[in-house]
Each structure stands twice: as C-alpha cells, then as structure tokens.
Amino acid sequence: MLAHVFDRFRTIALAVFLTALALPAFAGPFEDAVGKFANDEFSDTEEAIGVVAASGNPLAYPIISALQDERLMADPDTKKVYIKQTDGKIIDAATGAAVDSIPDSASAVRLNNRLRRTVDAALGGLTLLSSDLSTRMVAAQSVFKSHEETALPTVESALAKETDNVARQALAEARAAILLFKSDASEVDKLEAVATIKARGDQEALAMLSGIGSDQPASVAKGAAAATAAIQNKLAMWSMVQNAWYGLSLGSVLLLAAIGLAITFGVMGVINMAHGEMVMLGAYTTFVVQEVIRTRNPGLFDYSLVIAVPLAFLVSGAVGVLIERTIIRFLYGRPLETLLATWGLSLVLQQAVRTIFGPTNREVGNPSWMSGAFDVGLITITYNRLWILCFTLAVFAVLLAMLRFTSLGLQMRAVTQNRRMAAAMGIATSRVDALTFGLGSGIAGIAGVALSQIDNVSPNLGQGYIIDSFMVVVFGGVGNLWGTLVGAFTLGIANKFLEPVAGAVLGKIAILVLIILFIQKRPRGLFALKGRAVEA
C-alpha cells in the first residue's frame, strides 16, 4: 500500500516537472497578441492593439508607437514581429531581445483610417499615467478625439489618481466622449456625458455632439440637440469677442501708421503721400539692426527691437526733416503740387530701397518675448499683437505728454490754432514746421518697427497703410490725436466685423462709403480742431 502511494506521488511529481519544462514553449496573451500583427488582417491588428495596450507590458508603448510611425515590421512566414527603433537598432517585439537584422520577407504592418484612430487612442491611454502633466493633458485630448472604448479602463484609472484640476477636467471629458459613443453605456451615463461635453463648449465638443448616431435613446438625442444649440450660441458670442480683438489689433496698427500723419496734416496742412515710405524705412532699420546683431552678437537678439525703436525714429525723422527743408517748404499753400511731389518722392524712396536691399521680402525675426500665444476663454491672443497694442498706447501717451508739457508741443499747438498769431508772438513757424514733419516721420518709423513683426518687410510695405491712414485722420478729425485714436479703433473694429459678412474687398469699400457719407454730415471729422487748413 505504501509502495503504491509512493509510485503515485512519483508520477505526479514527474508530470509537474515535465509541465514546467514545457511552459516556455507556450506563449502568453501578450505574445499571442503581438503575433497577430503578422496576420496582415485589419481585424487581427485592431484586436492586437487592444490587448497590447491593456497588457501593462513595458514593450506596449514602443510597439504601438512603432506601429504609428510604420516602424513595426512583421514576417508572415515565421509570425515574428520586429521593432525598428529610432536609433536604427532592431528588437523582437514580443521579447525585447536585440535582433541583428529583419528578414527580407518582413514588411511594415498596414493601417487604415480606423486603425490610425485606434492607435492614437491606444497611445493616449498609454501616456495617461505619465508623471509629466503636459504629457497627460495631450493624452487626454487624444483620447477625447478618438473616443475609443478600449481606453476607458485606463482613463478611469488615471482619473482616480489625478490631482491636478485641469488634468482631471480633461480626463473627465475624455471619459464622457467614450461613454457617449459606447453602445452598452447606460442612459444615465450618456446624459452625464452630454452635460460634460456641453460644459467644454468648443468646436470639438460641437462636432462630437453633432456626430452622435441615430441609435441613441430619445432623451440622449434631445439633450445632445439642446447642448449643440447652446454651444453654437456660445461660439457665436466668442466669435464676436474674437472679431473685436482682431479689430483692436488692426486699430492699433492703423493708429501707429496714422498718428504721425495726423500731426503733419494738422499742423502743416500737407498731404504727404510719402508717409508710408517713412514706415518702410523704420521696418528696414529693424532689419539692419537684426542683421548686425545676428553677425556680431546673437545674444542680444531679444533686445533688437528695443535698439531698433530709437534708431528707426532717428532715421525716419532725419529723412522727414530733409524732405521738409528741400521740397515741402517751397509748396506750402499748394496742396495739389504737394500731393504730386510727395507721391513722386514715394516712388523714388521705394526704388532706392529696392536698389540697396533688393525687391524681395526681408526676414525680420520675433524676439522670444513676442513669440507664442495664449488663450482667453475660446479666443487666442498672440503675444506680438498684444505687445503692439501696448506699444501703440504707450507711444500715444508719450506724444500727448510731449504736446502738453514741452515747449515744442506748446509751439505746435499754437501754430495749429493760429499760425499768424503764433508768428506774431515770435514763434519760428518755419522751424516748427521742420520739427513737426520730422516728429511725424519719426513716429512713422517706429510704426515700421512694430509692423515688421506682423507684416512682410518689402519696398511696398507702406503702400498698404497710406490710404487707411488718411481715412483714419479724416474720420477722426484733422490734427486731433484723440480723434485719430477713436477713428483708428473704430475703423479697425468695423472692418473686422464687416469682413466675415461682405469679404475683405467689399468690407473696405463699405467702410469708405460710410466715411464719405459721414464727412458729408461732419466735414471736420469726429473731433474738429481749429487750424490752418480750417482757416483757409
């Protein structure tokens, strides 16, 4: 009896030993899934992606990433799958062991559009648990867009562990997107998902709610329709805010370009068609400054605009004084001849710049502090436009202070109001004219510094702003800086609200017609200012 028990125990032990020896010959679920990539069937590939992504194996991310980049190679003969790493090395996808070379019969695993979405979702799920916040955010957004069901367990696991409020919201939106399209999700879960996506309120949320199928429960379909209408209203409101911001941005550009013209036109009564070329000279001064910095001291590039602003003012201002002393002073009281002379001068300046710098656009870079953008609600604000707006208001404030608190400003105001009386009081009106023309041209030069950050620097740069500048000056009131400010921002905002409705060209035509009608009613503009042009 004892011998019989001993024989049975020995038999069982031998069987266990043989089984243990045989175990390595059988693949586990992960290895089986990896092998399905070699079947060259989209359904098998999709199933393999789901199993690999949910396996928790360290090789899961390299495999899915290689699949996305067409670096996952499969041999249909041996059913072996290989990863071509970014450094050129090759490893076995199932074991991670290094491989010398890939068989000639192996080829990249094929993907279709559906599988690409599945891959995006799988990669998102694999990075949802990353220690880096930005990586988790990108992963959550990827899962939200793909709303693949296979990522749901990972999303819920990540949501339970997340401590950052913004990331938790992104994960909650990703979970809602999955549940909304999940066929076996409960009606309550779907309604909660609709509410979560509605709270997101952007274009992606609108597209998702608009794209739900007709097989949804009636309450879910009704809730989605109501959420879609609410998002559309919200987007329309934010679109108006965005247009208003674009209008302020355009208005700041117009104000910079027109403020110098308002000074010269108001004090001197000169129609300066070469004003746009003063803007161009400022932009090319910025280009020269940046070129010198790039070749001599690249570390100063972030300060290039700070250096360019006073230089552009001096260059354009000096050219302006030269123009007034050599041409304009002989044409006072003859507006038509002044217009023709300055128009011809603008052509000469354009050709001179073409000869020196060439006819092609020149590159002017953005310093780091003017690069990038940030979001406010559902609108995007770029740093370069924001800085230009702030710079414009600063220039306006400095110019107002100069006119108010300096002797030159007092003399300019006196000449503007009554030239004959100013001359009788001993003010050298000829000197005031020259300095005024130089000041207006210098301000146009620093306008060119700002415009170089948002427009092409070319010989034709100023021509795009001269007509709009005259419209701003006439609309606001000749020689009145506050009128120029209000006119610039009014025309900028009106332009941006008309463009979506009538188009860019018809919008400008409509603005021009409205200004003509307005001038018929108020010939001296919004803020009339007594000056030589009015007295004449």
Side-chain angles (χ1 to χ4, degrees), residues 124-130 132-133 135-144 151-179 196-197 200:
L126 287 169
T127 52
L128 284 172
L129 300 174
S130 170
D132 181 64
L133 176 61
T135 302
R136 297 199 302 274
M137 290 293 297
V138 171
Q141 294 297 329
S142 176
V143 174
F144 178 84
L152 182 59
T154 309
V155 169
E156 291 180 335
S157 176
L159 186 59
K161 298 176 182 178
E162 186 59 62
T163 57
D164 184 84
N165 291 332
V166 177
R168 280 187 62 83
Q169 182 62 33
L171 288 168
E173 291 167 357
R175 179 178 179 273
I178 295 172
L179 291 175
T196 301
I197 297 172
R200 179 180 172 121

Side-chain angles (χ1 to χ4, degrees), residues 2-309:
L2 184 61
H4 179 67
V5 173
F6 178 76
D7 288 339
R8 292 193 63 181
F9 177 78
R10 185 174 59 182
T11 303
I12 293 172
L14 181 62
V16 171
F17 176 73
L18 292 175
T19 301
L21 290 176
L23 278 176
F26 295 96
F30 177 79
E31 290 77 7
D32 288 340
V34 171
K36 289 184 179 181
F37 285 117
N39 294 343
D40 199 26
E41 294 287 343
F42 289 143
S43 58
D44 287 345
T45 300
E46 183 174 15
E47 183 181 347
I49 293 171
V51 175
V52 169
S55 67
N57 192 294
L59 290 170
Y61 185 83
I63 290 173
I64 305 299
S65 179
L67 180 61
Q68 184 185 53
D69 299 338
E70 298 183 355
R71 294 183 290 104
L72 190 67
M73 313 297 291
D75 184 358
D77 296 335
T78 62
K79 301 298 181 183
K80 288 282 189 179
V81 181
Y82 307 93
I83 299 174
K84 291 172 62 177
Q85 295 180 307
T86 54
D87 59 2
K89 297 179 180 179
I90 303 166
I91 63 172
D92 188 306
T95 64
V99 177
D100 293 333
S101 62
I102 299 176
D104 295 335
S105 57
S107 60
V109 178
R110 297 183 304 132
L111 294 175
N112 57 17
N113 289 335
R114 174 179 171 79
L115 286 178
R116 288 188 181 91
R117 290 193 296 269
T118 305
V119 168
D120 290 341
L123 284 175
L126 287 169
T127 52
L128 284 172
L129 300 174
S130 170
S131 58
D132 181 64
L133 176 61
S134 61
T135 302
R136 297 199 302 274
M137 290 293 297
V138 171
Q141 294 297 329
S142 176
V143 174
F144 178 84
K145 294 176 183 178
S146 62
H147 51 79
E148 287 290 335
E149 295 184 16
T150 55
L152 182 59
T154 309
V155 169
E156 291 180 335
S157 176
L159 186 59
K161 298 176 182 178
E162 186 59 62
T163 57
D164 184 84
N165 291 332
V166 177
R168 280 187 62 83
Q169 182 62 33
L171 288 168
E173 291 167 357
R175 179 178 179 273
I178 295 172
L179 291 175
L180 183 61
F181 288 88
K182 196 170 186 292
S183 57
D184 57 348
S186 68
E187 188 172 334
V188 174
D189 285 343
K190 286 180 178 288
L191 288 173
E192 290 178 355
V194 168
T196 301
I197 297 172
K198 175 187 174 182
R200 179 180 172 121
D202 59 3
Q203 287 287 355
E204 291 179 350
L206 179 62
M208 182 166 291
L209 290 173
S210 302
I212 63 172
S214 58
D215 57 342
Q216 299 286 352
S219 60
V220 176
K222 182 178 179 180
T228 299
I231 292 175
Q232 288 173 337
N233 292 334
K234 180 181 179 181
L235 291 177
M237 182 196 70
W238 278 106
S239 178
M240 294 179 64
V241 175
Q242 183 79 75
N243 285 335
W245 163 248
Y246 288 154
L248 288 175
S249 177
L250 175 61
S252 66
V253 171
L254 292 179
L255 179 60
L256 266 182
I259 194 170
L261 190 64
I263 295 173
T264 56
F265 197 14
V267 175
M268 307 171 67
V270 173
I271 302 175
N272 181 19
M273 295 301 293
H275 185 77
E277 278 55 54
M278 301 299 104
V279 176
M280 174 196 68
L281 291 178
Y284 273 97
T285 302
T286 308
F287 165 72
V288 172
V289 168
Q290 288 196 351
E291 284 299 297
V292 172
I293 289 176
R294 284 190 180 103
T295 55
R296 301 288 180 84
N297 194 342
L300 290 176
F301 187 81
D302 274 352
Y303 303 95
S304 59
L305 297 188
V306 178
I307 298 171
V309 166

Side-chain angles (χ1 to χ4, degrees), residues 296-328:
R296 301 288 180 84
N297 194 342
L300 290 176
F301 187 81
D302 274 352
Y303 303 95
S304 59
L305 297 188
V306 178
I307 298 171
V309 166
L311 291 178
F313 180 86
L314 292 175
V315 170
S316 297
V319 173
V321 172
L322 181 63
I323 292 172
E324 196 279 334
R325 291 286 86 184
T326 57
I327 299 175
I328 303 298

Side-chain angles (χ1 to χ4, degrees), residues 5 43 116 181 237 240 245 299-300 325 333 339 366 368 382 395 419 439 455 479-480 522:
V5 173
S43 58
R116 288 188 181 91
F181 288 88
M237 182 196 70
M240 294 179 64
W245 163 248
L300 290 176
R325 291 286 86 184
L339 186 151
N366 293 110
S368 60
T382 56
V395 170
R419 173 173 289 271
L439 176 63
D455 206 342
N480 190 301
R522 292 179 64 91

